[in-house]
Amino acid sequence: MATTSGPPTRHPTGATIYSVAERAGVSIASVSRVLQGSQAVSEKTRTRVLQAAEELRYVPLAAARSLAVRQHEAHGLVLPELSGPYYSELLMGFESRAAELGQSVVLMLAQGKQDVPRAVRRLATRVDGIAMLGSSAIPDETVTALGGSKPVVLIAGDETPAADTVRAENSSSAREVTAHVIDHGRTRLLFAGDPSAGPDIRDRYAGFVAAHEEAGRKALPPVPVALREDDGTALADRLLSGELDADALVCANDELALAVMVRLREGGLVVPDDVAVVGWDDVMTARYVVPGLTTVRQPVRELGARAADLLHERITGSAVPRSAQVIPTHLVIRSSCGCAPAPPTLPAPRARPRRTQPDSPSPRTRRKRETR
Amino acid sequence: MATTSGPPTRHPTGATIYSVAERAGVSIASVSRVLQGSQAVSEKTRTRVLQAAEELRYVPLAAARSLAVRQHEAHGLVLPELSGPYYSELLMGFESRAAELGQSVVLMLAQGKQDVPRAVRRLATRVDGIAMLGSSAIPDETVTALGGSKPVVLIAGDETPAADTVRAENSSSAREVTAHVIDHGRTRLLFAGDPSAGPDIRDRYAGFVAAHEEAGRKALPPVPVALREDDGTALADRLLSGELDADALVCANDELALAVMVRLREGGLVVPDDVAVVGWDDVMTARYVVPGLTTVRQPVRELGARAADLLHERITGSAVPRSAQVIPTHLVIRSSCGCAPAPPTLPAPRARPRRTQPDSPSPRTRRKRETR
DNA sequence: CTGTTAGCGCCTTCAT
DNA sequence: ATGAAGGCGCTAACAG
């Protein structure tokens, strides 16, 4: 640990609007006006103020402004954690939109906090409203209590009268992947994921069941596992040992699906021939693994943006009706489902960073064939 | 887009310390005392205050407190964006540590902002100090100006008298991977990455050069490409077309390395036989791809935590000396470097979420053999 | 142990 | 176009 010493650089007790006013030879009102651009000011005082502020390295104190305008101009966001692309994308969408709305974002991660409700209350202290993931392990009562004092939007959470809600479409895409797998002739499908873990997975299982009904069959009960790699490995082991039997697995997310695929292969089974596997999220690895993982892509960025929007509407708009918005998803077909792998086409380089783009207005699932 | 209407739920102009005091029949000072636990209070008034606060759904106004205590009790963090595991891990480490220190974190993503310096100034307005990624596209002058008014810590950035600095070890691990590849008998090594893009990559290339010198050879000049999948695909194409020649590639990150591997395979070359490939970061895909990608893992979480720590020290401690901290890394050897793939050992399920753990004190690179 | 009272820095009428 | 002055909600002496 190298340590280069240097001048202890004082961080001066910042200049205030008063010192700026004084130096510029005007009143604080004028300073405020030019800095906020809230009212016409003569060109002369304008430049003098600007220069004084510059020279003094004036940094306004948001706290003082907030107190005066009675607005924090900040949105709170509560996420469980940040591993995997899901939360990151959500956060990017949220931050981006919030910034466009002139709002700062104060982030809180629930994982690791010993007293989450307390942390949330503390957060509520410095923001105008809070968006949180439904599965952030926040007690319902905390949410309700919060909803009573500040606007709250739940992302992928259960509908509640205390908050607005945004979520991605789940059941119909689940129905679609499941039907797709059934079309491949599979008959013993298993759903991996715990429907009681939240509305997302619950709805996915519902779609799984619906697809079976449409095919005149009966869906097997869900295999309630968590969604991490370990759980996938363990699940595969249960398949390999014969404890579980299936010729197709509909996994509630990609991490799970990928871990299952790898372990099955290690155990001597081949995907998709012996057992087809599909997932959810379309993580980067889904494209790299062989065979490519068929999965459902959610417009997570868009989801985050909508959350920020809704929050803002609720904060500013006086009496918007409670809304539960649903955002459409894509089915991404590769070959782990049983489809023949696309020939190596040496495709053009992948598109650059995907900006959030307006999705088709209908919440219907879209479909897309991809190489590899 | 379903819209369930409901009661327009008023968000009352929150209760204040005055209303609570009144309802509890005490002075505002007492309310403050019990809520802050700053001073002894009789059990009687204590409970009365607590109850009044509860009934009124009292949510203190951080802005008012901040103004009074002259502290935001919040750390700012500026990141370029959030794709890939690097930034997320960093953010998790930062948030976690900041929370332990009782600081909120205000996040700003540079990507997509049209006026980043402005956004940073705005951020500076509501936090006690700012940590930012060296490569966040923040003009040097902005950093210096900021450093003049608030504590700033640069993460993986160039050392500057205006800020503290934290970074992961780079050159010696680069020297080590490079030497490892040379030991495999490779002679035409290429470094993929742009050393001018920042100190991280610059140091990695320096290590690459050092390893060559130690082996009594001369390193080829770097191939200055960016670090995304596209760039990797394009790079592989240059190899396939013969424009570039190499039997080993040291890539500045995994995204690049993985894209290269896939494209090379599509083009008929085999990794590592025809060309060895190593990367940096140890992303999830590195374990899933075949052959497993040999790479350098950085304790990114720890990096974020250190940044939060340093920032806090600088904010509270009166005159800490400027420091440039370096955090050690791991070399993770799989088989893309030419090592024989480990036999499928059906290993025990992977360890659960890795909490930040104390690293060995020495900044020396550690080494580790992994299956697959 | 409790109440009173100055500010904290900025915004915003209200006059001028 | 500009200045004066009150107030935003909370903390922290300072008296009692």
Side-chain angles (χ1 to χ4, degrees), chain A residues 262 265 284-285 287-290 372, chain B residues 254 257-259 261-262 265 271 283-294 334-336 371-372:
Chain A
V262 168
R265 187 198 312 152
M284 173 180 160
T285 308
R287 300 197 310 270
Y288 278 87
V289 82
V290 179
R372 188 169 307 158
Chain B
D254 283 355
L258 290 164
M261 276 179 58
V262 168
R265 186 200 311 153
V271 175
V283 301
M284 171 179 161
T285 308
R287 301 198 308 270
Y288 279 88
V289 82
V290 178
L293 180 65
T294 288
R334 288 194 268 247
S335 39
S336 67
T371 58
R372 189 169 303 156

Side-chain angles (χ1 to χ4, degrees), chain A residues 54-69:
Chain A
E54 166 83 44
E55 296 171 347
L56 263 34
R57 292 184 175 306
Y58 174 56
V59 178
L61 212 59
R65 174 183 166 83
S66 295
L67 187 54
V69 302

Side-chain angles (χ1 to χ4, degrees), chain A residues 341-361:
Chain A
T345 48
L346 289 186
R350 244 162 235 305
R352 276 281 175 169
R354 356 64 196 179
R355 289 279 299 156
T356 298
Q357 44 185 263
D359 260 302
S360 81

Side-chain angles (χ1 to χ4, degrees), chain A residues 336-347:
Chain A
S336 67
C337 55
C339 281
T345 48
L346 289 186

Side-chain angles (χ1 to χ4, degrees), chain A residues 150-231:
Chain A
K150 300 235 167 179
V152 172
V153 1
L154 247 34
I155 304 170
D158 276 308
E159 287 186 38
T160 146
D164 289 305
T165 277
V166 210
R167 64 171 47 151
E169 195 294 307
N170 277 302
S171 57
S172 95
S173 26
R175 188 162 42 63
E176 191 173 354
V177 238
T178 305
H180 179 80
V181 171
I182 290 178
D183 286 347
H184 273 299
R186 307 297 163 138
T187 55
R188 290 159 295 137
L189 287 71
L190 239 32
F191 179 89
D194 184 358
S196 71
D200 268 354
I201 299 183
R202 184 191 60 212
D203 291 350
R204 288 173 200 173
Y205 181 66
F208 177 84
V209 172
H212 278 76
E213 287 173 351
E214 283 174 16
R217 305 219 222 138
K218 186 151 177 303
L220 293 171
V223 182
V225 298
L227 305 182
R228 311 194 57 102
E229 290 186 75
D230 305 10
D231 308 292

